[in-house]
Structure formats: structure tokens, C-alpha cells
């Protein structure tokens, strides 16, 4: 259907009464990341990514009508729209505030005096064009101005408002609470147009989250306390702001209160908007995109009563499993804390451990507080084992104990690079490491000695990636100097240089040694003949930089991670894209196949790790926990544990099947750029912007 024009109506579609979701007549435009505001019996739909039109949907008439469009210069990218409160005598008129953008995406701060287009729309239009030129325009986005009629821009230059969310609050509804990536919350006084507070949200990373006001009681208003709730991924947060003390308090909402439902949407849907209509006890679901990232004109509604019925058997089982996972995670945290405080301090020598175990019955040789500590550790360990036994089942439990219960500690720190380390990889025999840096060098390291064996000089700009060849005789590296270089490992000399027309971000030999593949900042992927260095083909499809490209283990496919937030799966022989995976909300930094090529793991600037079905292209699981951009991810040889690293200065180990965090490794003083695992799973290596490499191994 073509876009609606002013006065043109779109009739409803008969709902499907057999589904909890009733399909309404599709939107006039395909909208992704649209922003919606409820006003009486209207839903005001205010644009979306790449679409600037605004519509009103009349809930009772089940029709759409065009309101206006954003100015042509405004680029909408996950913007925010809120309804301002005021003492407007005309109850049919409301004020909307729209803002968003960043340093890279043009900022906007606009307002609209909205009068319903369903009552006297033509009269309002003629009035605006009539003799009274001093009257503010209606149903039109205009610049937001302060009390002195000066343009006012919400957000400082350094603030990234892509994915921003805001609510109105305060004792006089005069405060605008703004939450935005990575973990920021600001308070703006709309009466004085001044920022009065900035806070940091605890232990979370937010982007395109849900943010709503919770303050309803008069008691809170008298105390000048505004309550808000924020949800992002699996995290819930209760936020309280005290106007008197100008301070925040934060309280995490228990995850076990979030329940998965057996009922599902009739189609896979991303980036949609939900609007709650309390009076009619229903939720409208508007717009969104499909698994390929294409915007949709979806409009559905569902009755709240459908979701308040008694839980099904499957839902009850999910609730029980979720409670078990929460309990296991809490016990694991307590166990880790006990290990940190007790095991590290008092079991530093193997002889002491052996002596304690051998002479446990001799209580005189053991201090009473130490015995109590040991009893605590043993009790917690038994409790963890009991949970895991019943949760995983007998066979999986013993597999878990044999293969996964490793507790890693820092082993060695390798120093030598004079600038940020960009990448690190094990040699196939895991006796050596190769690293590269912004200092324009590639270094080879001896793992056993922890020393640098060779320094390869030749690149004239930052080196982004370096790998060993499968036969361990060659190193391949790539750089911002638009070259790929091949080095003889024995002599340390460069013997071949492959030139490109843009910065090369990633490079790798195919497992069979036949090809070299590279990713570039221009969005292209290039395939090279390994022995000759001849360019074979260019793979085109990404709209932004290719951050990483990796072969499948049979060398027939490759997977690419891009700044356009997508992952591509490619046929190496034909050079054609097989499938595109969409779901990450930020630049995808890394993507890798499992050893059987059945699934893919990826990490992103949205601080998540995702697991995908490589055949179907569907998302299987999302791992949340990092507080900053996740830079790299890898699989242990048993493929049951995932290791990731982030700009939050941590390395994290995850159980792939349960999606549980097993351990957090800390030691780097700055964000991490890369992580890798030895082929026997006994050593983890990490690279950081603190210019060091660190080796980790089990206790």
C-alpha cells in the first residue's frame, strides 16, 4: 500500500481470532525502531529508521491518518519521543518532544503541538495558515526552544543518543530522565533547561532498552521521589530519584520474576515497538524487522488477559529451570568469592593442601576459623554439585565435571609491544604465540619462557591481525597500510606483499592452506590464492567495514562480521552470500564457526555474545553480562565453554548450553582486544590496550 496522505484512511484487516495476536491492517509504511505515544484513543507513530513520516492510528476506528513528516535534514536512528506534561487548558492538545542522534548521526531536538487529526483536522490546518501568524503551528515538528526562545539541543556533543530512552517525572512533571548507552542516566530540568544530575547505572550495558515511570502514589510525590523501571535484555532495574537530595538509588529486579511464555509471535520479529493501552487492557505491537533486517509494516494487538492465565506445564518447567539457574549462579558467585578470599590466601602451596587433607581429623593442628571456612567451601561445593546433577542430568553432570570445572588464574604477563595490542593467536602446536600491535610490529612469543622470540618489522601503520599458517612455517599479517604481508617464520623475513586499496582489518589462512581470506574497511572480502598470492575474487555484500572474516573448518564457507550489525555466511567457491544473520544491535566485532560448522558464535559492540544455528540462520541464545563492547570470542575444544573479552577489562567464561557465566578473569588495566585458547583447552591468552599479553591456566 502506498503511503497515506492527509485525510486518507487505511481500513482495518479482520483479526485472526484463533491466535492470541490479532493482526490489524498493516502500517502505511514499513517501519523499524519507530517511536509511539498513546494519546486518548490514538497511537501516534513518530517515524522510524529511514522513514520520517508520522501517523495517528485511531484505536476505535481502526484507521490511520497522516500527521506530518520530520524535516528533510533530520536523520532518524533509534530516536526517542516523549509526551510532555503541562497545564494546557485544551485537553485535545498535547506537546511531543523528539530527540536523538550522535556525533556521527545528525542530532535533532524538535517539538510538536499536536491536535487530533481526527477532529477538525482541516480547521486546524486552515487556522495555521490563516491571519493569526503569531500562533504556534500545530501538527508540525519545529525546533525546541527555551524560555528565551533560543534553540535548545538535548544532549552534549560527547553523548551518544542512538537508542536513547527517556521519561517525564518529578514532583511537578518538570524533569526529563534520559538513559543512554553505555550506562548513563541524566536529569534535565525542563523549566530551567539545565542538566542537574548525571548517574551511572550499576553493572549493566543498555541500548534500545525499555524505560518507564513507576511513580503513581501521592506519598512519593510529596516526598519528591520519582520511581522508574528499566529493562534491557534479561536485566531489570528499579531506579529512584530524590529531588531533595538530588541523588539516585538503584535496585536490581530479580530475574526469576521474568517468565518466558509458551505462546509466541506468529512471525520472527525484531526492532518492534509495544504500546500498552490500560483502559482497553491490550498491547499493540507496531513495526519491526525480519531476520534479514528488512523493515516490516506489522501491526498486531494482544489482550493482556491472554497472558494472565494459569501457566502451562511447559511454562512451569521453564520457571523451575530459571529459578535453578538463578540459584546456581548465586552459589557460583559465593563459591568464587570464597575461593578468592580463602583458597588464594591459605592454600597457596600444594604441600599445605595435602597436609590438611591427610590430617583433617587432627583438629589441634587446624585453627577453628579455618575449619569453619573449609566447611563453608565444602558445603557450597556440594550444593552446586547437587543443583548441577539434577539440572543437567547424570550423564551431562559427569561430562561437566570432567571437562568444564576448570578455574583459571593468571599465569604469565608478556610485555614487549610499545602500543595497543590488536590481536593474538596460538600456533597450531600451541608452543608459540603471534601478536600484532599499533606499534606497527608483529611479534612471535615462546609460551614456555614467556619471552619474545622475533619481531617482524615492515608494516608502516597499525597491524590489525596476524596468524600462523596451518604448516607453522608462515605468518600472515594485515594492516591499515593497505597491505597483507607473508613472513617466513624461520628467518623472520617478509617474502611476499599483497596490496589492496583500503585498510585490511582481518586475515586468515584456510585450514587446508589453499586460500587466504581478508576483510577490509571498505566492506569487501577478498579471496587470495595462498601459494601465489594472486587475488581470486572479491565478495561484496556488507555496507560497512568487515571487522572479521573466518573460514569454516572444512574451508568451504567463511563467516564475516561487519560494522553494519550483520553477519554473512559465504560460499568460498562461488563467492556468493548464503545467509545473513541479523540480531545484534551494534557493530559485530567477531564471528566464528564451531568445529562441526553447525553453529556460529559472535560478539558485538552491543556488549553481547550470540549463538546462531549456521544452517537455519536463527539465533539460539544471547549471553549478557559484559559492561562494554565485546571485542573477541572463542570456543574451548570441547565446544561446551565460550570465552569472551571486552572493553570492560574482563575475560568471561560461559557455559554454552545453559548460557551461564562460569568465571570472570580480571587483571588487565585497560580494555581487551583479543582472546584465544590453546588446542588442549589448558591455556587462555588475552591481548589488551594496556600493551600486554596475559596467559591464564587452571589452578
Amino acid at each position: 500500500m502506498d503511503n497515506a496522505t492527509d485525510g486518507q484512511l487505511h481500513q482495518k484487516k479482520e483479526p485472526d481470532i484463533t491466535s492470541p495476536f490479532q493482526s490489524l491492517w498493516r502500517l502505511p509504511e514499513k517501519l523499524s525502531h519507530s517511536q509511539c505515544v498513546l494519546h486518548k484513543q490514538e497511537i501516534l507513530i513518530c517515524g522510524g529508521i529511514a522513514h520520517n513520516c508520522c501517523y495517528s492510528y485511531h484505536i476505535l476506528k481502526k484507521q490511520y491518518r497522516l500527521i506530518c513528516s520530520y524535516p528533510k535534514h533530520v536523520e532518524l536512528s533509534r530516536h526517542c519521543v516523549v509526551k510532555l506534561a503541562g497545564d494546557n487548558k485544551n485537553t485535545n492538545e498535547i506537546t511531543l518532544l523528539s530527540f536523538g542522534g550522535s556525533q556521527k548521526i545528525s542530532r535533532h531536538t524538535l517539538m510538536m503541538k499536536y491536535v487530533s487529526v481526527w477532529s477538525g483536522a482541516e480547521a486546524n490546518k486552515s487556522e495555521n495558515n490563516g491571519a493569526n501568524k503569531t500562533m504556534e503551528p500545530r501538527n508540525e515538528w519545529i525546533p525546541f526552544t527555551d524560555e528565551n526562545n533560543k534553540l535548545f539541543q538535548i544532549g552534549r556533543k560527547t553523548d551518544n543518543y542512538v537508542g536513547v530512552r527517556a521519561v517525564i517525572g518529578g514532583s511537578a512533571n518538570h524533569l526529563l530522565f534520559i538513559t543512554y548507552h553505555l550506562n548513563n542516566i541524566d536529569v534535565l530540568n525542563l523549566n530551567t533547561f539545565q542538566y542537574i544530575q548525571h548517574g551511572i547505572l550499576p553493572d549493566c550495558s543498555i541500548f534500545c532498552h525499555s524505560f518507564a515511570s513507576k511513580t503513581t502514589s501521592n506519598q512519593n510525590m510529596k516526598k519528591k521521589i520519582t520511581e522508574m523501571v528499566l529493562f534491557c535484555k534479561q536485566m531489570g532495574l528499579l531506579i529512584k530519584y530524590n529531588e531533595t537530595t538530588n541523588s539516585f538509588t538503584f535496585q536490581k529486579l530479580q530475574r526469576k520474576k521474568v517468565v518466558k511464555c509458551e505462546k509466541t509471535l506468529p512471525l520472527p520479529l525484531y526492532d518492534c515497538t509495544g504500546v500498552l493501552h490500560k483502559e482497553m487492557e491490550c498491547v499493540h505491537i507496531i513495526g519491526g524487522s525480519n531476520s534479514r533486517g528488512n523493515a516490516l509494516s506489522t501491526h498486531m494487538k494482544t489482550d493482556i488477559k491472554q497472558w494472565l492465565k494459569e501457566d502451562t506445564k511447559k511454562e512451569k518447567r521453564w520457571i523451575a529451570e530459571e529459578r535453578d539457574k538463578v540459584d546456581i549462579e548465586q552459589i557460583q558467585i559465593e563459591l568464587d568469592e570464597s575461593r578468592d578470599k580463602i583458597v588464594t590466601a591459605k592454600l597457596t602451596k600444594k604441600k599445605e593442601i595435602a597436609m590438611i587433607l591427610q590430617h583433617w581429623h587432627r583438629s589441634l593442628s587446624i585453627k577453628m576459623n579455618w575449619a569453619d571456612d573449609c566447611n563453608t567451601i565444602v558445603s557450597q561445593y556440594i550444593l552446586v554439585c547437587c543443583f548441577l546433577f539434577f539440572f543437567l542430568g547424570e550423564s551431562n553432570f559427569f561430562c561437566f565435571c570432567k571437562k568444564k570445572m576448570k578455574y583459571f588464574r593468571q599465569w604469565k604477563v608478556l610485555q614487549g609491544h610499545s602500543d595497543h595490542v590488536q590481536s593474538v593467536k596460538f600456533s597450531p602446536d600451541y608452543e608459540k604465540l603471534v601478536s600484532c600491535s599499533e606499534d606497527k610490529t608483529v611479534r612471535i612469543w615462546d609460551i614456555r619462557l614467556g619471552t619474545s622470540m622475533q619481531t617482524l618489522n615492515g608494516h608502516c601503520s597499525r597491524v590489525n591481525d596476524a596468524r600462523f599458517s596451518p604448516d607453522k612455517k608462515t605468518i600472515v599479517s594485515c594492516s591499515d597500510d593497505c597491505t597483507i604481508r607473508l613472513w617466513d617464520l624461520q628467518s623472520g623475513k617478509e617474502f611476499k606483499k599483497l596490496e589492496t586499496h583500503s585498510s585490511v582489518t582481518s586475515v586468515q589462512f584456510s585450514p587446508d592452506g589453499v586460500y587466504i581470506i581478508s576483510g577490509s574497511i571498505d566492506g569487501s572480502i577478498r579471496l587470495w590464492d595462498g601459494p601465489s598470492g594472486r587475488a581470486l575474487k572479491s565478495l561484496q555484500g556488507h555496507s560497512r567495514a568487515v571487522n572479521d572474516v573466518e573460514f569454516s573448518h572444512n574451508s568451504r564457507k567463511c563467516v564475516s562480521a561487519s560494522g553494519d550489525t550483520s553477519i554473512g555466511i559465504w560460499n568460498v567457491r562461488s563467492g556468493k552470500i548464503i545467509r545473513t544473520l541479523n540480531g545484534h544491535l551494534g557493530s559485530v566485532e567477531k564471528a566464528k564457526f564451531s568445529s562441526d560448522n553447525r553453529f556460529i558464535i559472535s560478539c558485538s559492540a552491543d556488549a553481547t555474545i550470540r549463538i546462531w544455528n549456521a544452517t537455519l540462520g536463527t539465533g539460539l541464545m544471547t549471553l549478557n553480562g559484559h559492561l562494554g563492547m565485546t571485542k573477541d570470542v572463542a570456543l574451548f575444544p570441547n565446544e561446551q565453554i565460550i570465552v569472551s573479552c571486552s572493553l570492560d577489562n574482563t575475560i568471561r567464561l560461559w557455559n554454552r548450553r545453559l548460557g551461564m557465566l562460569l568465571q570472570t578473569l580480571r587483571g588487565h588495566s585497560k580494555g581487551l582486544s583479543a582472546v584465544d585458547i590453546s588446542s588442549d583447552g589448558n591455556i587462555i591468552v588475552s591481548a589488551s590496550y594496556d600493551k600486554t599479553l596475559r596467559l591464564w591456566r587452571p589452578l
Side-chain angles (χ1 to χ4, degrees):
M1 179 177 291
D2 296 333
N3 293 349
T5 57
D6 195 9
Q8 182 180 352
L9 303 179
H10 299 268
Q11 302 300 325
K12 69 165 185 172
K13 181 182 179 181
E14 288 301 320
D16 178 6
I17 60 174
T18 63
S19 169
F21 296 95
Q22 300 176 19
S23 295
L24 305 176
W25 187 242
R26 63 192 178 101
L27 299 171
E29 289 193 64
K30 295 179 179 180
L31 292 174
S32 174
H33 286 288
S34 60
Q35 284 290 286
C36 300
V37 173
L38 184 68
H39 173 51
K40 295 185 177 180
Q41 300 302 326
E42 297 178 57
I43 298 175
L44 308 181
I45 307 168
C46 302
I49 291 181
H51 289 282
N52 282 15
C53 289
C54 303
Y55 295 90
S56 169
Y57 174 76
H58 200 290
I59 295 174
L60 300 180
K61 297 181 180 180
K62 300 180 175 63
Q63 297 171 343
Y64 299 95
R65 181 169 277 166
L66 179 69
I67 301 173
C68 67
S69 294
Y70 278 87
K72 291 183 179 180
H73 70 275
V74 173
E75 180 183 357
L76 299 179
S77 180
R78 301 176 176 91
H79 60 302
C80 180
V81 177
V82 294
K83 179 168 63 174
L84 300 182
D87 298 325
N88 207 325
K89 297 180 181 180
N90 184 0
T91 56
N92 290 322
E93 180 181 293
I94 60 171
T95 302
L96 301 179
L97 177 66
S98 175
F99 63 97
S102 66
Q103 287 180 316
K104 294 182 180 180
I105 299 172
S106 60
R107 290 187 177 280
H108 77 273
T109 302
L110 302 171
M111 63 173 289
M112 178 199 296
K113 296 287 186 180
Y114 175 73
V115 178
S116 176
V117 293
W118 300 95
S119 57
E122 295 300 324
N124 289 330
K125 187 175 180 181
S126 62
E127 184 180 357
N128 287 337
N129 295 327
N132 190 0
K133 300 293 184 181
T134 61
M135 185 176 181
E136 284 186 302
R138 301 293 187 265
N139 300 354
E140 178 184 342
W141 288 112
I142 61 175
F144 188 52
T145 57
D146 61 17
E147 70 275 13
N148 297 319
N149 206 31
K150 292 183 178 180
L151 297 181
F152 183 79
Q153 188 89 300
I154 295 179
R156 293 153 294 194
K157 290 182 179 180
T158 56
D159 293 335
N160 182 0
Y161 275 2
V162 176
V164 64
R165 296 293 178 261
V167 298
I168 299 294
S171 56
N173 285 320
H174 62 299
L175 301 179
L176 180 68
F177 296 90
I178 309 166
T179 53
Y180 55 100
H181 188 74
L182 181 67
N183 52 2
N184 299 285
I185 180 168
D186 290 342
V187 186
L188 172 65
N189 189 318
L190 292 170
N191 291 338
T192 62
F193 293 88
Q194 292 181 333
Y195 282 90
I196 58 176
Q197 184 57 287
H198 171 77
I200 299 296
L201 303 173
D203 299 327
C204 66
S205 173
I206 57 173
F207 185 76
C208 291
H209 47 288
S210 176
F211 188 39
S213 176
K214 186 176 179 290
T215 301
T216 54
S217 66
N218 291 328
Q219 189 66 27
N220 277 342
M221 299 305 287
K222 290 178 182 179
K223 293 181 179 180
K224 296 187 176 182
I225 294 176
T226 301
E227 293 187 350
M228 297 154 281
V229 288
L230 184 150
F231 293 97
C232 188
K233 302 159 189 173
Q234 296 182 359
M235 183 274 298
L237 194 65
L238 174 64
I239 304 170
K240 293 183 180 180
Y241 175 74
N242 190 315
E243 285 182 55
T244 305
T245 61
N246 192 23
S247 61
F248 287 105
T249 57
F250 306 99
Q251 178 185 343
K252 277 195 172 183
L253 301 176
Q254 293 186 6
R255 200 181 76 186
K256 63 184 179 182
K257 294 182 180 179
V258 180
V259 181
K260 182 168 66 173
C261 298
E262 186 174 1
K263 302 182 184 74
T264 59
L265 291 166
L267 74 165
L269 198 59
Y270 305 85
D271 310 325
C272 55
T273 302
V275 182
L276 171 64
H277 194 295
K278 292 183 180 179
E279 294 180 6
M280 301 186 70
E281 296 185 333
C282 68
V283 175
H284 285 255
I285 301 169
I286 293 172
S289 59
N290 59 21
S291 58
R292 296 179 181 177
N294 299 323
L296 302 173
S297 54
T298 306
H299 188 173
M300 298 178 286
K301 79 169 183 177
T302 181
D303 292 334
I304 296 175
K305 294 178 181 178
Q306 292 277 355
W307 307 95
L308 299 180
K309 296 178 180 178
E310 185 178 354
D311 298 324
T312 65
K313 290 183 179 180
K314 185 179 288 188
E315 289 171 347
K316 289 178 180 177
R317 177 167 57 83
W318 286 338
I319 293 170
E321 289 177 354
E322 185 66 18
R323 286 174 179 167
D324 286 345
K325 287 177 68 175
V326 172
D327 290 339
I328 293 171
E329 288 175 353
Q330 184 58 41
I331 293 170
Q332 185 68 49
I333 292 171
E334 293 175 1
L335 187 58
D336 287 344
E337 291 176 352
S338 298
R339 281 169 169 161
D340 288 337
K341 295 178 181 179
I342 301 171
V343 177
T344 302
K346 299 184 178 181
L347 298 183
T348 56
K349 298 179 182 179
K350 293 183 179 179
K351 291 182 180 180
E352 292 175 352
I353 301 172
M355 182 180 67
I356 291 170
L357 294 176
Q358 184 178 358
H359 303 288
W360 185 261
H361 64 282
R362 296 174 60 185
S363 59
L364 291 177
S365 64
I366 306 173
K367 295 180 181 179
M368 288 303 296
N369 66 325
W370 169 228
D372 292 339
D373 288 340
C374 283
N375 288 335
T376 300
I377 294 175
V378 172
S379 300
Q380 290 176 330
Y381 185 83
I382 292 172
L383 191 54
V384 170
C385 291
C386 290
F387 270 116
L388 291 174
F389 184 87
F390 289 107
F391 190 66
L392 299 176
E394 183 176 355
S395 60
N396 287 330
F397 170 74
F398 288 113
C399 176
F400 186 92
C401 291
K402 290 178 182 178
K403 297 183 179 180
K404 304 173 191 173
M405 296 292 279
K406 293 180 180 179
Y407 193 77
F408 283 82
R409 289 283 184 171
Q410 183 173 293
W411 176 34
K412 292 180 181 178
V413 179
L414 311 184
Q415 295 179 318
H417 283 296
S418 60
D419 209 332
H420 299 164
V421 186
Q422 293 293 104
S423 173
V424 63
K425 289 293 176 184
F426 280 99
S427 61
D429 57 8
Y430 61 92
E431 293 180 356
K432 301 181 183 69
L433 296 169
V434 59
S435 64
C436 60
S437 167
E438 290 193 15
D439 65 12
K440 307 176 187 178
T441 69
V442 178
R443 285 182 178 257
I444 313 298
W445 306 80
D446 183 291
I447 292 176
R448 184 176 60 86
L449 299 176
T451 57
S452 177
M453 300 168 57
Q454 289 175 300
T455 301
L456 311 181
N457 294 287
H459 284 293
C460 53
S461 187
R462 178 178 69 182
V463 187
N464 293 315
D465 199 5
R467 313 279 184 108
F468 286 92
S469 63
D471 62 8
K472 301 173 288 185
K473 295 180 180 179
T474 305
I475 296 289
V476 62
S477 62
C478 65
S479 167
D480 279 355
D481 65 11
C482 304
T483 68
I484 298 168
R485 301 183 188 231
L486 298 172
W487 312 78
D488 179 76
L489 187 57
Q490 187 172 1
S491 66
K493 294 183 178 180
E494 176 191 321
F495 66 88
K496 194 168 292 181
K497 181 167 69 174
L498 315 180
E499 296 188 357
T500 67
H501 62 275
S502 62
S503 299
V504 188
T505 57
S506 175
V507 68
Q508 184 196 19
F509 279 102
S510 62
D512 58 13
V514 174
Y515 302 112
I516 294 172
I517 199 162
S518 63
S520 175
I521 200 169
D522 66 4
S524 68
I525 300 165
R526 293 199 175 198
L527 190 68
W528 312 78
D529 179 73
S532 68
R534 180 170 55 91
L536 299 177
K537 55 172 66 80
S538 178
L539 285 58
Q540 302 288 338
H542 287 296
S543 59
R544 291 190 180 180
V546 175
N547 298 320
D548 183 43
V549 61
E550 304 272 348
F551 277 104
S552 62
H553 290 264
N554 59 13
S555 303
R556 296 177 183 174
K557 299 176 183 177
C558 66
V559 60
S560 57
S562 172
D564 63 12
T565 74
S566 74
I567 298 165
I569 303 176
W570 307 78
N571 183 299
V572 172
R573 179 172 294 181
S574 67
K576 299 291 181 64
I577 193 164
I578 301 170
R579 189 163 281 106
T580 301
L581 313 182
N582 291 288
H584 279 297
L585 301 177
S587 171
V588 187
E589 298 298 303
K590 293 288 190 297
K592 298 176 182 178
F593 279 101
S594 61
S595 60
D596 59 7
N597 304 316
R598 294 175 61 185
F599 63 90
I600 290 170
I601 56 171
S602 62
C603 62
S604 166
D606 64 13
T608 69
I609 299 105
R610 288 183 180 248
I611 306 172
W612 310 80
N613 182 309
T615 304
L616 301 177
T618 55
L620 300 175
M621 187 178 294
T622 302
L623 309 181
N624 299 287
H626 279 298
L627 304 180
M629 174 187 288
T630 313
K631 291 292 292 183
D632 201 1
V633 65
L635 271 168
F636 271 71
N638 62 18
E639 302 202 329
Q640 298 305 308
I641 298 178
I642 294 172
V643 61
S644 61
C645 68
S646 167
L647 293 186
D648 65 8
N649 299 10
T650 69
I651 302 164
R652 302 192 184 222
L653 279 67
W654 313 79
N655 178 284
R656 182 181 65 82
R657 195 177 76 83
L658 298 177
M660 289 174 53
L661 178 64
L662 300 176
Q663 188 183 356
T664 301
L665 307 181
R666 293 180 172 87
H668 285 288
S669 60
K670 291 186 178 181
L672 286 93
S673 56
V675 68
D676 198 19
I677 305 164
S678 62
S679 56
D680 62 357
N682 285 326
I683 304 175
I684 296 172
V685 63
S686 56
S688 168
Y689 297 124
D690 65 11
K691 307 177 187 178
T692 70
L693 304 173
R694 294 177 190 246
L695 295 171
W696 313 75
R697 67 178 183 181
L699 288 174

